[in-house]
Amino acid sequence: QKMQEDAQRYLCIKPQRIKKISLGVDIQSNNSRSRDAMRASLNIPDECFVIANIGRVDPLKGQHIFVQALEAFLNKYPELSPPDKASKVIGLIVGDTMDQAYAQALKNNINQNKLPIQWLGFRDDIADILQAADIVCVTTKNETFGLIAVEAQLAKRLVIASDSGG
């Protein structure tokens, strides 16, 4: 409750858009789509390896680290994302934008470098997104709570995260 009140007071989000989720994402939800259904809804081929970054889009959350790491990985293994062919690796950036300039710089980088990253924006179907992912990257340099890491593990997804903060 306290976190919800603080978020409504301090974040640049309309208070009615802030919802309290007591224990995080309901991984066992009966409404969750299957992996195949979720990937189909995102136009992701089944054979692709999906790496997701989930969190509000803000420099403190480190999406730029995610983009740089994926770019470096694909430069090292260009056969995974050949020019003029479908990439075998796809990144997902999921989250509400807090910093428009930061988000635009990220999108420009993704477009200029033709990175196979889908920008999904705010979603309220995170359990479904977790179903679509193979790995979840938490790129925050100092995460306060780290709920997405726990939620990803509950969804039986590999998590890559820094060893700092919560």
Side-chain angles (χ1 to χ4, degrees):
Q1 185 65 37
K2 172 79 170 110
M3 186 178 212
Q4 181 183 23
E5 291 167 5
D6 286 349
Q8 289 171 332
R9 185 176 311 121
Y10 298 116
L11 295 178
C12 300
I13 301 171
K14 294 178 182 176
Q16 62 270 25
R17 288 198 59 208
I18 297 173
K19 298 177 187 173
K20 180 176 76 169
I21 303 172
S22 298
L23 297 174
V25 172
D26 183 4
I27 299 301
Q28 303 301 324
S29 170
N30 292 329
N31 298 327
S32 291
R33 290 187 251 178
S34 72
R35 176 184 185 272
D36 293 341
M38 190 61 200
R39 285 184 174 215
S41 75
L42 296 171
N43 296 314
I44 298 173
D46 188 51
E47 64 275 5
C48 282
F49 194 81
V50 178
I51 306 170
N53 182 280
I54 304 169
R56 71 179 187 275
V57 179
D58 182 284
L60 296 174
K61 290 293 187 178
Q63 284 85 4
H64 60 283
I65 297 167
F66 176 72
V67 171
Q68 291 167 355
L70 187 56
E71 182 177 16
F73 177 77
L74 293 174
N75 284 336
K76 186 171 182 175
Y77 301 100
E79 67 275 11
L80 296 176
S81 189
D84 303 324
K85 289 189 179 178
S87 181
K88 296 177 184 175
V89 176
I90 293 178
L92 302 177
I93 294 180
V94 184
D96 203 11
T97 298
M98 299 291 105
D99 184 323
Q100 294 296 333
Y102 176 68
Q104 192 56 56
L106 287 171
K107 290 175 183 179
N108 291 343
N109 185 18
I110 291 165
N111 292 333
Q112 287 170 358
N113 293 300
K114 297 182 173 110
L115 298 174
I117 297 176
Q118 290 187 25
W119 191 281
L120 301 182
F122 174 81
R123 302 284 296 238
D124 60 5
D125 59 346
I126 298 303
D128 294 335
I129 298 293
L130 291 170
Q131 291 302 310
D134 295 296
I135 292 179
V136 174
C137 288
V138 182
T139 51
T140 311
K141 289 185 180 180
N142 191 10
E143 183 62 51
T144 306
F145 298 107
L147 284 178
I148 194 61
V150 174
E151 293 162 353
Q153 290 171 342
L154 286 170
K156 298 182 171 86
R157 298 301 177 259
L158 178 67
V159 175
I160 298 174
S162 61
D163 184 14
S164 67

